[in-house]
């Protein structure tokens, strides 16, 4: 994965964040979302914040590299563009904290062990086998726009009545697991023979003005709960709609004639970027992408919400587009 870092100047600052900056490989250490006891190895690197509902986020000890830490006015940074391995969660949280008014946009590189013996190949000023290589820009940008063209709904939007952390416990029609099973049965009765397709859920805010899509990672028919692939908290009153992968090729369409950046998630059905009239930077991998919009000060305090801060997306067929003025 190549992200050429320009020479530092007033409008662009290249950087690299890796394990030497305090980043931990939480995806390799953690085996679940809930921790009753913290092992000695994990406690050295993270302190879990226990609230009245959940313990979903680790308090990071990342120290930003001096290139970012020495930026005199963090509010002047409007865009952070990067390429990374799959361990982006802690870096995203730190960037959100340091640069809340900046849009974030990154792509997870494909692994390269069978090509050159490296887990990942991230090219900046140096070759890195992991971490985050990026550039912080001071330029006017538009909001990142995320599309999930590779999915189709199999249920109506249902209201979440009870939840805990990333687990949906009860919906307006009953427990979450049986609502999902009922949606799948109806899908098959309508002639859909897919039995091994991955399942996803679109979560919408109570006001209906925000939404994010997550993979369904597990369920317990006996207890009725469904787990979503997020480290942030769901809330009662939000909506949820179950979805499956579409069997057609994923064609990304754009309402803008000049998107300058496009990252996507590839799948077995393929991925096609939108037709544009200008040069565009981007690509698609099975690892997905990360994105975040500038956060108003009023929302920065609610840092555990599923709609707050930057997030990762590995939903097949999804894409994120960014316009540059």
């Amino acid at each position: 994965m190549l992200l050429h870092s320009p020479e530092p100047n007033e409008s662009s600052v290249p950087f690299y964040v890796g394990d030497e900056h305090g980043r931990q490989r939480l995806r390799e250490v953690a085996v679940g979302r809930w921790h009753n006891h913290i092992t000695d190895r994990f406690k050295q690197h993270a302190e879990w914040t226990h609230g009245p509902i959940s313990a979903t986020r680790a308090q990071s000890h990342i120290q930003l590299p001096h290139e970012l830490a020495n930026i005199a006015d963090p509010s002047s940074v409007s865009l952070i563009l990067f390429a990374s391995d799959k361990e982006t969660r802690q870096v995203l949280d730190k960037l959100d904290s340091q640069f809340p008014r900046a849009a974030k946009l990154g792509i997870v590189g494909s692994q390269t062990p069978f090509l050159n013996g490296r887990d990942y190949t991230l090219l900046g000023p140096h070759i890195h086998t992991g971490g985050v290589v990026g550039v912080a820009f001071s330029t006017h940008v538009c909001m990142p726009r995320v599309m999930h063209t590779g999915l189709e709904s199999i249920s109506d939007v249902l209201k979440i009545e009870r939840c805990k952390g990333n687990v949906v416990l009860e919906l307006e029609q009953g427990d979450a697991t049986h609502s999902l099973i009922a949606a799948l049965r109806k899908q098959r009765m309508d002639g859909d023979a897919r039995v091994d397709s991955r399942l996803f859920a679109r979560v919408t805010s109570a006001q209906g003005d925000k939404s994010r899509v997550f993979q369904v990672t597990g369920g317990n028919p006996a207890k009725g709960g469904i787990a979503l692939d997020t480290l942030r908290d769901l809330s009662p009153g939000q909506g949820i709609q179950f979805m499956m992968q579409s069997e057609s090729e994923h064609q990304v369409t754009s309402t803008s004639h000049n998107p300058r950046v496009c990252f996507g998630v590839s799948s077995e059905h393929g991925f096609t970027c939108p037709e544009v009239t200008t040069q565009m930077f981007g690509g698609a991998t099975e690892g997905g992408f990360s994105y975040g919009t500038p956060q108003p000060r009023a929302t920065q305090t609610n840092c555990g919400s599923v709609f707050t801060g930057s997030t990762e997306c590995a939903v097949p067929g999804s894409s994120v587009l960014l316009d540059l003025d």
Side-chain angles (χ1 to χ4, degrees):
M1 176 59 63
L2 170 64
L3 183 61
H4 178 69
S5 299
E7 293 297 324
N9 55 54
E10 292 183 357
S11 61
S12 63
V13 178
F15 66 90
Y16 167 72
V17 181
D19 295 349
E20 59 267 39
H21 297 99
R23 189 192 72 147
Q24 302 303 321
R25 299 178 182 269
L26 297 182
R27 287 184 181 268
E28 298 177 6
V29 175
V31 296
R33 295 290 186 267
W34 308 98
H35 296 260
N36 292 326
H37 302 284
I38 303 176
T39 64
D40 291 338
R41 178 188 177 192
F42 193 77
K43 193 173 183 179
Q44 294 174 4
H45 310 309
E47 298 174 359
W48 285 91
T49 302
H50 292 270
I53 299 177
S54 66
T56 56
R57 299 187 66 205
Q59 206 168 13
S60 173
H61 294 276
I62 283 184
Q63 297 295 323
L64 289 178
H66 65 86
E67 294 90 347
L68 295 179
N70 291 342
I71 294 178
D73 182 13
S75 64
S76 67
V77 177
S78 57
L79 171 65
I80 299 177
L81 190 67
F82 60 89
S84 70
D85 59 16
K86 64 182 179 181
E87 295 281 353
T88 56
R89 180 68 270 154
Q90 300 162 85
V91 180
L92 287 173
D93 287 344
K94 190 67 175 180
L95 292 176
D96 283 342
S97 175
Q98 185 78 3
F99 305 102
R101 298 180 63 180
K104 290 88 179 177
L105 199 62
I107 188 168
V108 177
S110 297
Q111 293 182 280
T112 60
F114 298 110
L115 297 178
N116 55 18
R118 300 173 181 269
D119 288 343
Y120 293 85
T121 304
L122 302 175
L123 303 181
H126 307 284
I127 298 177
H128 302 282
T129 59
V132 178
V133 175
V135 184
F137 293 99
S138 296
T139 182
H140 181 69
V141 299
C142 298
M143 291 285 190
R145 292 171 287 116
V146 180
M147 294 178 287
H148 302 284
T149 55
L151 299 179
E152 58 185 53
S153 61
I154 61 172
S155 78
D156 296 329
V157 178
L158 304 173
K159 182 180 178 181
I160 298 176
E161 299 288 351
R162 286 195 308 122
C163 54
K164 186 176 183 181
N166 66 317
V167 179
V168 182
L169 298 173
E170 185 178 351
L171 302 176
E172 58 182 299
Q173 295 182 351
D175 66 64
T177 303
H178 288 94
S179 296
L180 175 56
I181 292 174
L184 290 172
R185 285 176 176 169
K186 183 179 184 301
Q187 191 78 359
R188 291 177 185 138
M189 289 177 63
D190 292 340
D192 192 330
R194 287 174 290 175
V195 294
D196 58 350
S197 180
R198 294 159 63 187
L199 298 173
F200 301 88
R202 183 191 300 275
V203 179
T204 57
S205 63
Q207 296 76 24
D209 58 338
K210 300 177 183 178
S211 70
R212 285 184 174 177
V213 176
F214 307 99
Q215 183 176 349
V216 176
T217 56
N220 188 328
K223 296 183 179 180
I226 288 177
L228 304 185
D229 187 20
T230 176
L231 288 173
R232 299 188 184 275
D233 292 338
L234 302 167
S235 299
Q238 294 172 346
I240 186 171
Q241 183 179 36
F242 298 115
M243 314 184 81
M244 295 178 68
Q245 285 184 253
S246 170
E247 294 183 309
S248 59
E249 182 178 356
H250 308 320
Q251 171 69 53
V252 179
T253 58
S254 174
T255 56
S256 169
H257 295 292
N258 299 307
R260 298 299 182 90
V261 183
C262 175
F263 292 149
V265 187
S266 59
S267 75
E268 64 270 21
H269 302 302
F271 182 89
T272 303
C273 287
E275 295 183 2
V276 295
T277 58
T278 60
Q279 292 183 337
M280 184 174 66
F281 172 79
T285 73
E286 71 282 359
F289 56 83
S290 303
Y291 70 97
T293 57
Q295 295 294 309
R297 292 186 179 275
T299 64
Q300 293 172 26
T301 56
N302 191 17
C303 59
S305 168
V306 73
F307 295 113
T308 303
S310 301
T311 190
E312 302 146 313
C313 178
V315 178
S318 299
S319 61
V320 59
L321 299 172
L322 183 71
D323 297 327
L324 301 179
D325 290 345

